[in-house]
Amino acid sequence: MLELSDIRAGYADVQILNGVDLALRPATITTVIGPNGAGKSTLFRAIFGLIRVRSGSIRFGAEEITNEKPARLLARGIAYVPQGRNVVARLSVRHNLELGAVTLADQSLVAPRIEAVMDRFPALRQHQARKAGDLSGGQQKLLEIARALLLDPKLLLIDEPSIGLSPNLVRDVFKVLQGLRDAGVTVLMVEQNTKAALAISDDGLVLELGRARMHAPAAQLLADPAVGRLFLGAAIEG
Amino acid sequence: MAQFLQVLLSGLATGSIYALAAVGFSLVWQAAQAVNFAQGEFVMLPAFLVLIGEHWLHWPLWAALLFGFALSILLLGLAFKRLIVQPFGPDGGLPLVIATMALSILLKEAVKTFYGAEAEPFPSLLPNGTFHVGGAVVSVRDVLNLLAALAVVLLLTLFLDRTKTGRQMQAAAQNPGVAEILGVDVARMTLYAFLLNAALAAVASFLITPVYLAKFSNGESLGIVAFIAAIIGGFNRIRGALVGGLLIGVLDNLTATYVTLSYRAALPLVLLIAVILWRPQGLLGDEEARIV
Ligand SMILES: Nc1ncnc2c1ncn2[C@@H]1O[C@H](COP(=O)(O)OP(=O)(O)OP(=O)(O)O)[C@@H](O)[C@H]1O
Ligand SMILES: [Mg+2]
């Protein structure tokens, strides 16, 4: 599905990713965990062509996609929901959704797909004429996710979706991700809310100092005492 | 009353030219965070390009106008972006401000040196007569200037709000990082803003020059007025720039007629200070959208 080998990337003269290897299994959720500043967001930016990969290669299916631009990656079926707020605040909810489909080759599909995502997220239908910046933080995050789904992606990169969301909304978002996985979408997620995220994930990746320390089934990471101590807050029983 | 109406209308007519320049100024600011201190000269130059077509190349007026418009888009849109703004990177800052000031001097001096320092008549595209409304003598040209400028700004806002490309331009200007991850061609949208600014400047030039004649120094006060109109209106609001331009035009004419001619040049500055004191986000701006 997505395969990284020995990825090195960073900013100006600091290298943040020091040779990351990773292979995702199709139709799974993989959660990346690691301390602040480990390079989790940087990894996503490198995959999505926002910062240059200095060496190594990224393959998507059979294709080499290293250093391709976002527009190209979107066309291939990779979508990205970054950390933080990412709506165009002064455009309406509906127009934000439309923006998610600018790279869609067949523009006649846009309207029905917007209908479909609004069916999935009724709050967006209700607020479709409002400015995106006037929505609550949680609704904005749903809008971002909905917008990413407009291209019907095969791979979704989603960076800390739960930040600033109420526990109920976090559960909703996780349910959406599980639904996508069940429909065949591969999800790569970064989450601070590690226990809950690993609980819905198939695999987990521990990223530390720009390297993949562990890549294992999520259940195994949840049960690992060292991982528990370092990344899951309190120690895990057993 | 009749005189007031007359003054108001010719103020609106001048103000609509300020508005065109201010709207373009605000577009370029939003798209590239570039404050263009050559904006006045951008309105001065297109008229001379038309005169070159007419007098040097001996083309008929329509061909000269087309030539002037196309060359304006090329020089003041494409070349301005590629050669002046782009080399300073995404956040041009003070060096870019200085570069646009230098460009303003360069354009002025180039016209003076190569075309001439004398004021040149410029063919009027609009009929010249007057008509009477309730005792007031109204210039047909003023009314048509105003309507033409308003129509252009209306078309522009319709384009920005109602078309997919227009909304991509808004997204690219408001949040280029988000636009990029959605696959919007941000560089192209930025270029469109520069091209639209050049087109607005050319239209303003063709409307205003028949009134004031073509002169190399025509842009001197206009650039500052456009800048102030854009700030008064809320800097990153198209409609704000429109309102700011019209307001300055009207107040300018009213003070000149009813108060005194001598403080006329200071008026936009007074207005600017008043707005900064009482409504720092601009007349139509809002707190959240304020960047400067
Ligand atoms: N644009 C940037 N320019 C320079 N350095 C950056 C930039 N963005 C991030 N960094 C640095 O790169 C390192 C990794 O940052 P990154 O955002 O990838 O971490 P992260 O694992 O996502 O952390 P967090 O959990 O806080 O989101 C940090 O030391 C950070 O300071
Ligand atoms: Mg991060």
Side-chain angles (χ1 to χ4, degrees), chain A residues 11 16 35-42 45 83 160 192:
Chain A
Y11 308 94
I16 304 293
N36 283 22
K40 304 179 297 292
S41 298
T42 304
R45 287 185 206 120
Q83 200 172 333
E160 308 222 4
Q192 297 285 2

Side-chain angles (χ1 to χ4, degrees), chain A residues 10-12 14-17 32-45 51 83 159-160 163 190 192 207:
Chain A
Y11 308 94
V14 265
Q15 182 160 302
I16 304 293
L17 302 177
V32 183
I33 63 177
N36 283 22
K40 304 179 297 292
S41 298
T42 304
L43 178 66
F44 280 18
R45 287 185 206 120
I51 58 170
Q83 200 172 333
D159 195 347
E160 308 222 4
I163 278 191
V190 170
Q192 297 285 2
L207 194 74

Side-chain angles (χ1 to χ4, degrees), chain B residues 16-259:
Chain B
S16 65
I17 304 299
Y18 297 158
L20 288 177
V23 165
F25 185 94
S26 158
L27 269 181
V28 164
W29 160 256
Q30 290 180 55
Q33 276 70 56
V35 174
N36 180 19
F37 281 108
Q39 187 76 351
E41 280 64 41
F42 276 34
V43 176
M44 176 273 296
L45 189 72
F48 279 98
L49 299 175
V50 173
L51 291 179
I52 287 175
E54 246 198 327
H55 299 319
W56 292 9
L57 306 171
H58 305 292
W59 288 347
L61 179 61
W62 67 266
L65 279 169
L66 219 58
F67 169 77
F69 190 75
L71 206 56
S72 297
I73 303 248
L74 217 61
L75 291 176
L76 306 177
L78 187 70
F80 176 55
K81 174 174 189 275
R82 292 275 158 82
L83 304 180
I84 310 268
V85 178
Q86 217 155 282
F88 288 99
D91 183 20
L94 192 60
L96 176 57
V97 166
I98 293 168
T100 65
M101 286 176 170
L103 178 66
S104 127
I105 297 169
L106 176 78
L107 291 176
K108 219 161 36 185
E109 293 303 316
V111 167
K112 191 162 103 183
T113 309
F114 295 110
Y115 201 93
E118 296 303 310
E120 297 275 334
F122 187 84
S124 178
L125 311 173
L126 304 170
N128 231 336
T130 55
F131 61 93
H132 296 260
V133 184
V137 185
V138 175
S139 142
V140 174
R141 190 157 65 180
D142 276 358
V143 174
L144 292 178
N145 265 1
L146 175 62
L147 291 179
L150 289 179
V152 166
V153 176
L154 181 70
L155 279 177
L156 177 70
T157 53
L158 285 177
F159 167 71
L160 290 173
D161 288 337
R162 303 279 170 87
T163 70
K164 285 186 179 171
T165 308
R167 291 192 294 264
Q168 286 184 57
M169 281 182 68
Q170 291 189 54
Q174 284 175 45
N175 204 331
V178 168
E180 186 182 13
I181 61 152
L182 299 175
V184 171
D185 189 341
V186 175
R188 163 166 297 186
M189 296 306 136
T190 309
L191 174 63
Y192 289 170
F194 279 81
L195 299 183
L196 283 171
N197 176 45
L200 289 169
V203 170
S205 187
F206 300 164
L207 291 177
I208 191 79
T209 316
V211 184
Y212 291 113
L213 305 181
K215 191 152 190 240
F216 72 94
S217 57
N218 274 359
E220 275 170 5
S221 58
L222 208 106
I224 293 292
V225 170
F227 177 65
I228 293 177
I231 295 181
I232 289 176
F235 221 58
N236 42 19
R237 297 292 168 146
I238 299 291
R239 287 176 194 83
L242 173 69
V243 171
L246 293 175
L247 193 66
I248 293 182
V250 168
L251 289 181
D252 182 31
N253 265 32
L254 288 178
T255 28
T257 313
Y258 294 109
V259 189

